[in-house]
Amino acid sequence: MPQVAVERDDRVAIVTITNPPMGYMDSGTVPELGAAMLELEADESVRAVVITGGLPGVFIRHYSVAELGAMSTVLRERGTSVDIESRLPERDLDRVFRRMETMPKPVIAAVNGLAMGGGFELMLACDIRIAEEGDYQMGLPEITVGILPGAGGTQKLSRLVGMARALEMTLRGRTVSPREALALGIVQELAPAGGALEAALTMAHEMAAKPARASGYIKRLVRASVETPLEEGLALERTLFLDLMTTEEAHQLMSKMNAENLDIRQL
C-alpha cells in the first residue's frame, strides 16, 4: 500500500504519511512524498497543505535505522572514504524538503505523535508546526547511534531555538515533550490530545482564504530573511510590494475598504 495519501478539503490538501507498524520514514516514503509535493505545488486549486501522521501516536517516528545500518555496511565494504572538505550534492529527501520550503503555499505540520530524527526534520521543513498534547517526544537523537542529523536538523533547529540550545539538544541527543517544544518555539501552537489535525486545518483554511500571490511573496521573504543580508531583503520586499500594488485583487480589496469605511480586520 502507498505510504502517502492525499485528500482535499476545499482549498486545503491533507497529506497523511502511514508506514505501519512503526511509522518510520524510509526509502519508500521519500519518492511518494516528493510526488505529492510536486503535484500540490502545481495545483492552483490548492492554497495550503497540511502534513500529518497516519498511525496513532506517530507523526513520523524517525528514519529507518535498519536502512541506515544497511547503507553503513555497504559503504564500509566498499572501503568508502569521504573528503569532508568537499560538498555532496542534494539527495531526493533534500529536494523534497526544499520544495516544501519554497513552494508559494503555506505548509503546516499537524504533529500527532512521535517525531524524531528524519520525522523531526520533516517538521522543521514545514512553515508552521502544531503539536497535540500527549506523552511523546520530538527531537534529534542521532548522536546516540554515532551519526548526526543529516537532513537539515543541525541548520534549521539552531535558527529556531538559537545555537546554544540546539547544541545542547543535539550533543546530548535530548528529545523534548510537546510543551517544551512550544516553550522553545519549535512548535507554534498546542492542540488538545487528538486535535492536531483539526487545529492545523483551521489555520490552513484561514491562510488559504488570503490572497494567494501575497501569501506566496510573504513566505518567500520571511523564509529568506534568516540568510539574506538586510539591505538585499528590504530591496526585494519593496519590489514585491510594488508588484502586488499593481494587481486587480489588491486594488479591489483596498477600494472596498475605502468605499465602505471598513476596518482592515473586517475584510
Side-chain angles (χ1 to χ4, degrees):
M1 293 180 63
Q3 294 187 30
V4 177
V6 179
E7 58 183 309
R8 306 295 203 279
D9 184 5
D10 194 15
R11 292 182 288 186
V12 176
I14 305 167
V15 178
T16 304
I17 303 173
T18 308
N19 188 15
M22 300 302 289
Y24 298 131
M25 179 188 292
D26 59 27
S27 58
T29 319
V30 176
E32 288 188 33
L33 185 60
M37 290 300 114
L38 182 64
E39 176 187 341
L40 295 176
E41 181 180 31
D43 187 343
E44 293 184 1
S45 70
V46 172
R47 300 280 293 274
V49 178
V50 172
I51 301 178
T52 195
L55 295 178
V58 181
F59 178 69
I60 291 177
R61 188 176 298 268
H62 51 71
Y63 199 92
S64 168
V65 177
E67 281 197 6
L68 295 176
M71 183 188 304
S72 174
T73 298
V74 170
L75 292 170
R76 288 170 54 79
E77 287 177 349
R78 291 176 178 172
T80 303
S81 62
V82 177
D83 177 6
I84 64 171
E85 298 306 320
S86 65
R87 299 294 180 264
L88 296 176
E90 281 189 322
R91 303 152 301 180
D92 288 343
L93 182 58
D94 304 311
R95 284 186 280 271
V96 173
F97 286 175
R98 181 162 53 83
R99 184 176 298 280
M100 292 165 54
E101 292 162 348
T102 59
M103 72 165 65
K105 306 174 184 187
V107 180
I108 302 173
V111 184
N112 60 314
L114 283 163
M116 298 181 290
F120 187 75
E121 289 171 312
L122 189 149
M123 277 178 53
L124 296 182
C126 295
D127 301 308
I128 306 289
R129 290 158 288 280
I130 297 176
E132 62 187 52
E133 294 266 20
D135 183 19
Y136 64 90
Q137 295 286 298
M138 58 185 79
L140 299 168
E142 284 89 340
I143 195 170
T144 305
V145 292
I147 59 175
L148 56 76
T154 64
Q155 304 303 297
K156 296 171 189 175
L157 181 60
S158 62
R159 287 167 164 79
L160 283 177
V161 304
M163 181 180 66
R165 180 61 70 191
L167 282 169
E168 178 269 321
M169 290 177 64
T170 52
L171 289 174
R172 295 173 67 189
R174 185 172 74 86
T175 56
V176 299
S177 68
R179 284 201 169 272
E180 185 175 358
L182 177 67
L184 290 171
I186 295 170
V187 302
Q188 285 66 60
E189 187 176 313
L190 273 188
L197 181 57
E198 181 181 356
L201 284 172
T202 298
M203 184 181 291
H205 281 293
E206 180 183 349
M207 293 178 174
K210 304 297 185 186
R213 193 163 178 175
S215 178
Y217 281 178
I218 289 170
K219 175 173 174 175
R220 176 181 173 185
L221 286 162
V222 175
R223 277 280 191 179
S225 67
V226 296
E227 298 175 345
T228 305
L230 180 59
E231 288 188 8
E232 182 180 331
L234 291 171
L236 179 59
E237 183 184 76
R238 292 191 296 270
T239 303
L240 299 183
F241 174 83
L242 185 61
D243 182 62
L244 290 172
M245 290 287 287
T246 69
T247 64
E248 179 67 16
E249 185 171 32
H251 178 72
Q252 290 296 332
L253 287 169
M254 288 187 285
S255 297
K256 176 180 174 65
M257 180 178 170
N258 292 327
E260 300 179 21
N261 197 28
L262 298 175
D263 184 282
I264 194 168
R265 293 166 296 180
Q266 295 175 289
L267 285 172

